[in-house]
Amino acid sequence: MKKEDLEKMLSGIDPPMPEHLTHQEELKIPLLRYKRSSKAGLWLLILPIIIAVTSILKHELAISWGFLNVIGSLIAAVDENPVLTFLIPVIVLGLPCTAMVMNLLAFCHFTTVRERKELLITMKYRPVNIGIVLLSFAILVFFFLPDVLSF
Amino acid sequence: MNEEKLLQEIEADPQKFAEVYEAFYKSIFGYAFRRTANYDAAKDIAAETFLKAYTGIGKFTWRNISILHWLYRIATNETNKYFNSRKYLPESINRIHEEYGVDITDYSNAETERILLEEDLQRHQDFVKINELMKKLDTKYQEALALRFYEQKSIEEIAVILGKKTGTVKSLLSRGVDKLKKEYGGRADEKRRS
């Protein structure tokens, strides 16, 4: 077959043209509700983790290092500095709590069945979100231990 | 549709993306179906295309390029992934399944539609034969040939969709037809021998 003949055949080809797609509506609703799954909880834990690690390295391992000393002195100044007085509790308590709640909501779904007066809680297996919740909880427990933040 | 205005509206209200979906879904599904000749694959590819478009529309800058051409580009990439991988993994669809428990790949509800489309496909025998041969080519030729002959796009439109120069598109089409001719010739020889 000549190339021109094949091109002519291709130009005259009659491909299928799907019409009236019933499945089109099925996708629309979940598509418009779609949000990227939130791993924002992990970002919220960076500062608390830095403080927790600083505490461990300075108190438990007695490591003295420039960056650790800076963090330590910031936390030690919490009673003297009104900004830090506000900020440190937000970082060590507020951020892990927020991370925990955000990620709990990512894998727990709540629906009510009015007719049966039921509240249905569905928990989906989402290891990353569950991991962030556990990490947040661990950080909160750590900060509630005595003398952790005494620099 | 004033696309530039629509993009601004979508930025303010993402739900407006529904207009893009309604306007272009059939074209994109049709394109995926014509390239793959497979209802399930076309459904996955179309869904993945619109999901990626929905999440990425904030990055789409209006440069007098039609939204449809942008969607064709995404769909082309997804279709190439389908051909190039052993198993096509539509990532965004799996995330929707995890988050909302909606299985878009549950084809049981669309069984009638699938049967109708596949029956219709069989009525286009010339297309089916050419498509089988085209699938043997490298995806860079497949995409150019499909956009030219299935989607009736001009060289300039294909260049915009694929992000290539018009000269490159012409070259791909010419070489693609050459390779298709070889496959076609090879098939004719096989038939004669058998």
Side-chain angles (χ1 to χ4, degrees), chain B residues 101-155:
Chain B
V102 173
D103 186 2
I104 290 164
T105 58
D106 174 11
Y107 304 120
S108 55
N109 297 334
E111 196 57 29
T112 310
E113 183 179 86
R114 181 227 298 263
I115 290 168
L116 288 171
L117 285 179
E118 287 179 352
E119 276 175 6
D120 183 53
L121 183 64
Q122 294 312 312
R123 284 193 277 271
H124 296 81
Q125 277 302 307
D126 284 345
F127 166 82
V128 169
K129 286 174 194 163
I130 288 290
N131 205 35
E132 274 173 29
L133 297 173
M134 214 188 280
K135 282 182 190 177
K136 294 180 183 177
L137 306 182
D138 193 281
T139 48
K140 65 181 178 185
Y141 300 118
Q142 282 189 48
E143 60 192 23
L145 290 169
L147 286 167
R148 182 80 186 100
F149 297 112
Y150 296 170
E151 307 304 303
Q152 305 292 312
K153 298 296 179 196
S154 67
I155 305 283

Side-chain angles (χ1 to χ4, degrees), chain B residues 27-167:
Chain B
S27 299
I28 297 300
F29 174 83
Y31 171 57
F33 184 67
R34 285 183 281 278
R35 278 201 63 188
T36 61
N38 182 303
Y39 174 81
D40 298 340
K43 209 172 159 197
D44 279 353
I45 288 166
E48 191 71 11
T49 298
F50 279 92
L51 282 165
K52 285 192 168 162
Y54 181 58
T55 53
I57 201 149
K59 295 174 209 158
F60 178 74
T61 320
W62 176 255
R63 267 184 251 129
N64 267 326
I65 297 170
S66 165
I67 295 175
L68 180 59
H69 289 158
W70 178 56
L71 291 170
Y72 262 109
R73 182 183 291 192
I74 302 172
T76 299
N77 291 339
E78 291 302 313
T79 309
N80 291 347
K81 274 188 206 170
Y82 168 78
F83 283 123
N84 291 336
S85 317
R86 278 204 199 136
K87 191 180 176 186
Y88 176 56
L89 295 169
E91 301 145 7
S92 304
I93 293 176
N94 290 334
R95 271 199 223 128
I96 275 213
H97 184 202
E98 283 173 18
E99 288 209 24
Y100 301 109
V102 173
D103 186 2
I104 290 164
T105 58
D106 174 11
Y107 304 120
S108 55
N109 297 334
E111 196 57 29
T112 310
E113 183 179 86
R114 181 227 298 263
I115 290 168
L116 288 171
L117 285 179
E118 287 179 352
E119 276 175 6
D120 183 53
L121 183 64
Q122 294 312 312
R123 284 193 277 271
H124 296 81
Q125 277 302 307
D126 284 345
F127 166 82
V128 169
K129 286 174 194 163
I130 288 290
N131 205 35
E132 274 173 29
L133 297 173
M134 214 188 280
K135 282 182 190 177
K136 294 180 183 177
L137 306 182
D138 193 281
T139 48
K140 65 181 178 185
Y141 300 118
Q142 282 189 48
E143 60 192 23
L145 290 169
L147 286 167
R148 182 80 186 100
F149 297 112
Y150 296 170
E151 307 304 303
Q152 305 292 312
K153 298 296 179 196
S154 67
I155 305 283
E156 291 71 27
E157 286 176 309
I158 297 171
V160 166
I161 289 167
L162 299 181
K164 294 180 159 80
K165 295 180 182 169
T166 51

Side-chain angles (χ1 to χ4, degrees), chain A residues 105-141:
Chain A
L105 291 174
F107 70 85
C108 289
H109 292 264
F110 303 87
T111 42
T112 51
V113 183
R114 279 192 202 146
E115 300 80 25
R116 295 198 302 264
K117 293 181 186 170
E118 285 178 358
L119 170 67
L120 299 174
I121 302 172
T122 314
M123 294 179 71
K124 297 187 184 221
Y125 178 66
R126 301 189 66 179
V128 173
N129 298 106
I130 294 170
I132 294 172
V133 168
L134 293 174
L135 182 61
S136 307
F137 184 70
I139 289 170
L140 281 171
V141 167

Side-chain angles (χ1 to χ4, degrees), chain A residues 19-149:
Chain A
E19 296 285 337
H20 312 299
L21 301 172
T22 53
H23 76 266
Q24 187 171 333
E25 279 305 302
E26 284 173 21
L27 171 60
K28 190 174 162 188
I29 293 165
L31 166 70
L32 294 174
R33 284 166 55 198
Y34 177 76
K35 283 174 272 196
R36 289 209 178 274
S37 48
S38 170
K39 295 187 182 69
L42 212 48
W43 292 101
L44 292 171
L45 298 178
I46 287 177
L47 286 177
I49 287 172
I50 288 173
I51 295 173
V53 166
T54 304
S55 174
I56 292 168
L57 291 175
K58 279 184 78 68
H59 280 175
E60 308 301 324
L61 303 175
I63 294 173
S64 182
W65 180 47
F67 177 72
L68 298 178
N69 294 337
V70 167
I71 303 290
S73 55
L74 270 174
I75 296 170
V78 67
D79 289 329
E80 295 143 33
N81 188 320
V83 174
L84 288 175
T85 308
F86 168 75
L87 213 53
I88 298 294
V90 167
I91 291 171
V92 301
L93 297 176
L95 294 184
C97 283
T98 308
M100 200 188 293
V101 167
M102 280 172 68
N103 284 274
L104 264 171
L105 291 174
F107 70 85
C108 289
H109 292 264
F110 303 87
T111 42
T112 51
V113 183
R114 279 192 202 146
E115 300 80 25
R116 295 198 302 264
K117 293 181 186 170
E118 285 178 358
L119 170 67
L120 299 174
I121 302 172
T122 314
M123 294 179 71
K124 297 187 184 221
Y125 178 66
R126 301 189 66 179
V128 173
N129 298 106
I130 294 170
I132 294 172
V133 168
L134 293 174
L135 182 61
S136 307
F137 184 70
I139 289 170
L140 281 171
V141 167
F142 177 78
F143 284 126
F144 274 107
L145 293 172
D147 299 329
V148 158
L149 290 175

